Amino acid sequence: MKVIIARDSDDAARMAADIIEAAVREYPECTLGLATGSSPVGMYKELARRCKDEGLDFSKVHSVNLDEYVGLDGTHEQSYRFFMNDNLFDHINIDKTNTYVAKGTGDIQENLKEFNDILDKTDIRIQVLGVGPDGHLGFNEPGDTLYDGAHEETLDDSTIEANKRFFASKDEVPTRAVTMGMGNIMRAQSLLMIIGGNKEEAARRLLIEDKIDPRCPATFMRLHRDATVIIEKELADRIGYGG
Ligand code: GLP
């Protein structure tokens, strides 16, 4: 696993954007696996800037997102479809019909079938990842068992707690979500994680401990042949990681 220490969140965003840009320039028709949450927001801003100012071309790029809340329609401001439009798709020249965020409303089993069918046919060039404070990837929550394909998860209280900052109150945070499985994530050609802020526990387990533990799904990144973690220096210092 390659680990890059970024000076700060802007530096992390630029370095992550460099990696995405290189892939898009080399493979203009590639599929990007995308993530929500605050970690990739700076990178999305930077990619939008490069699209506008430097001609970075997304017109043939496809994308598939990690996850979506169950119960939120794509027009809901906290849905991940809305997030992606708002933070990236509305600001780059991607064809929105080539972007896929699983549906969180309607018949969930049908939605999962569609999600799995798409994943089976898709070769993800780079999967962007954030990480939950408990080490979840997408919405693969810690537990005895992790899942291979796209499935529905009940969110842990710590995840609901962590994500309530985006909602008016904790009660409004959905308790279920659909997510790519760990197998889908691990089958991406490369993984790109951005980690900073208060993620000491996840960062320590990912970067320092030598354990692959389903109780910290992020540790599975260590098994991937082409995984890059961009960690902000402040967090690296806090966990005593020097590279
Ligand atoms: C949510 C998403 C994850 C994301 C996590 C961390 O739970 N489902 O994919 O990695 O938030 O978000 P943040 O980057 O805001 O810390």
Side-chain angles (χ1 to χ4, degrees):
M1 201 167 62
K2 184 170 168 196
V3 184
I4 303 172
I5 300 179
R7 282 192 305 279
D8 52 28
S9 58
D10 286 348
D11 194 32
R14 271 192 303 272
M15 288 196 280
D18 288 347
I19 293 172
I20 301 285
E21 172 166 1
V24 169
R25 290 207 188 270
E26 190 173 2
Y27 307 100
E29 296 177 23
C30 68
T31 298
L32 300 174
L34 299 176
T36 55
S38 42
S39 305
V41 166
M43 177 188 78
Y44 291 150
K45 255 201 196 114
E46 178 60 12
L47 289 172
R49 189 196 65 72
R50 291 180 193 189
C51 179
K52 183 168 153 276
D53 298 344
E54 295 167 10
L56 179 58
D57 182 14
F58 290 89
S59 61
K60 297 192 187 112
V61 168
H62 288 63
S63 74
V64 54
N65 259 76
L66 278 172
D67 49 10
E68 179 58 286
Y69 286 118
V70 168
L72 301 192
D73 181 72
T75 57
H76 188 288
E77 286 197 9
Q78 295 310 329
S79 72
Y80 286 168
R81 162 51 75 183
F82 190 95
F83 175 102
M84 288 312 302
N85 290 347
D86 198 34
N87 283 283
L88 185 64
F89 302 150
D90 286 343
H91 310 288
I92 61 175
N93 66 334
I94 200 165
D95 176 350
K96 267 199 211 156
T97 61
N98 291 337
T99 67
Y100 182 77
V101 183
K103 294 186 206 77
T105 53
D107 183 334
I108 297 301
Q109 291 318 311
E110 274 302 309
N111 299 351
L112 283 171
K113 189 180 171 319
E114 180 183 82
F115 197 2
N116 273 307
D117 285 348
I118 285 173
L119 289 168
D120 286 346
K121 283 187 275 179
T122 302
D123 186 15
I124 297 175
R125 185 94 221 158
I126 303 183
Q127 177 62 57
V128 176
L129 296 167
V131 59
D134 62 356
H136 70 241
L137 292 185
F139 271 126
N140 290 276
E141 293 286 23
D144 293 336
T145 311
L146 297 173
Y147 294 84
D148 181 358
H151 61 285
E152 188 175 2
E153 288 258 351
T154 300
L155 305 186
D156 288 352
D157 192 56
S158 66
T159 299
I160 294 174
E161 194 60 44
N163 290 359
K164 76 174 185 197
R165 66 192 194 277
F166 299 112
F167 293 82
S169 73
K170 189 175 169 184
D171 293 345
E172 288 182 28
V173 186
T175 56
R176 302 185 70 78
V178 288
T179 182
M180 275 189 205
M182 288 301 293
N184 303 123
I185 294 171
M186 295 297 285
R187 283 189 285 278
Q189 290 188 36
S190 61
L191 303 179
L192 172 61
M193 177 181 282
I194 305 163
I195 181 168
N198 64 342
K199 308 273 176 64
E200 287 89 351
E201 178 67 16
R204 192 175 297 116
R205 298 189 72 179
L206 175 63
L207 300 179
I208 296 179
E209 287 179 19
D210 182 31
K211 253 193 244 164
I212 309 300
D213 184 354
R215 297 198 167 272
C216 182
T219 57
F220 280 74
M221 263 193 96
R222 300 176 77 117
L223 298 177
H224 199 285
R225 279 177 182 275
D226 187 2
T228 302
V229 177
I230 300 179
I231 181 169
E232 290 171 24
K233 184 167 187 320
E234 219 182 69
L235 175 59
D237 287 348
R238 253 184 285 132
I239 62 164
Y241 181 82

